[in-house]
Amino acid sequence: MVNKQHVAAPEGVHTLRDPDSGLEGLIVLHSTALGPAAGGCRLLHYQDASLMRADAFRLAEGMSYKNALAGRYITAEDVGTSVEDMQAVSEKTRFVAGLPSNSDGPGGDPSPWTAQGVFVSMETLVRRHLSKDLSDCVVAVQGLGHVGHSLARMLHQAGARMIVADVSEQNVRRAVAETGAAVVSAEQILSVEADVLAPCALGAIFDETSIGTIRARIICGAANNQLATPDDGARLARRGILYAPDYVVNAGGIINVAGEYFGWTEKDTQRRIADTGNRLIRVLDHASATGVAPNQAADELARAKIAAGSSLFLADSAL
């Protein structure tokens, strides 16, 4: 369920309706203080319009804290959409990314880049807080879609032992065939014993009830808006569970989108994604210095960036 409390008032809400296809949707602009908004195009069937609205508002706020690009609104792939969908969108507007790369620059499906940033962050956390390498860790991966599958392959290559779950049996079979991971049900994955829990499905999964069942020591995953409310970050901290703020560690995809839009080389884009771990450390250091939970520390730093009117959220000095 999408929690409606973690929502800030947006700058603009644009309703989409197409009677011929039955499509109803929203474009929500949370903040353009740093420039234009950038967000994923999510295609889902919601139980009712209020849940769709709440999800869109939460995603818009999270994306404000990730990045801002040139143009009023720029979109790229998210849940339920693909490179081919973005090609279709590009026939109607130039404010779209995630298109096939025609040079040595970034482009295409941003999900492997998102997974790379999560992987780098996870490496940083287990070394810093568990004094381990990933090859000595058990990682529980929730969700084996584009990003979760890419992450699982990277973890397998790094020698990590994995426990996986997905509502799609096909996704599970593919992951097991490629990585040899152990499998549990979607209901069990949050409470399995592991060094790291990597949520890579939908958001609002950590609440007062689920937090009490978690046995992992670190949470580091690609899903957006993982906390049901901001207070749940403090609940995790009180339990001694280190939470890596989602929009800090999953920013690889938006860095790829920025690189595509601004014309960065693939090498430069990879360098910026490789720096994700250092940005995360700065967030955790700020949390430690100020005595707040990591999610609050990340919000404070992101809001300070927006207030200062910086030209680019994901520049080398970001966070």
Side-chain angles (χ1 to χ4, degrees), residues 135-318:
S135 59
D136 298 319
C137 291
V138 175
V139 181
V141 181
Q142 180 204 38
L144 296 165
H146 291 301
V147 177
H149 179 249
S150 294
L151 178 62
R153 293 179 64 182
M154 293 175 190
L155 289 168
H156 176 62
Q157 291 169 2
R161 290 164 290 159
M162 280 182 293
I163 304 169
V164 300
D166 194 288
V167 294
S168 165
E169 292 185 10
Q170 180 180 352
N171 287 353
V172 170
R173 287 196 298 268
R174 179 178 61 169
V176 171
E178 294 185 12
T179 70
V183 179
V184 298
S185 70
E187 293 74 26
Q188 294 173 311
I189 191 68
L190 295 185
S191 59
V192 297
E193 188 171 349
D195 296 290
V196 183
L197 172 61
C200 298
L202 298 179
I205 57 171
F206 298 122
D207 57 23
E208 190 171 6
T209 300
S210 65
I211 288 171
T213 70
I214 295 171
R215 291 192 286 170
R217 299 172 65 183
I218 293 172
I219 295 173
C220 180
N224 286 307
N225 300 316
Q226 296 168 22
L227 304 179
T229 72
D231 291 341
D232 292 311
R235 288 191 178 95
L236 287 168
R238 286 195 294 270
R239 285 211 58 214
I241 299 168
L242 178 61
Y243 172 68
D246 44 40
Y247 62 80
V248 177
V249 305
N250 71 11
I254 201 64
I255 294 174
N256 175 66
V257 168
E260 180 181 349
Y261 198 81
F262 286 118
W264 300 340
T265 66
E266 183 170 341
K267 182 178 180 180
D268 190 39
T269 303
Q270 289 175 335
R271 178 183 60 80
R272 292 168 185 263
I273 293 173
D275 199 42
T276 302
N278 292 328
R279 287 192 293 273
L280 176 59
I281 287 174
R282 289 193 281 273
V283 170
L284 298 179
D285 285 347
H286 179 70
S288 179
T290 58
V292 300
N295 64 301
Q296 184 178 337
D299 286 355
E300 288 176 358
L301 292 171
R303 289 167 183 157
K305 271 283 190 182
I306 292 172
S310 298
S311 61
L312 184 63
F313 179 73
L314 284 176
D316 289 344
S317 61

Side-chain angles (χ1 to χ4, degrees), residues 5 7 14 44 51-52 60 89 98 108 113 125 212 257 260 268 284 295 304:
Q5 297 180 12
V7 176
H14 304 271
L44 286 175
L51 292 176
M52 175 181 70
V89 172
W113 304 79
L125 292 175
V257 168
E260 180 181 349
D268 190 39
L284 298 179
N295 64 301

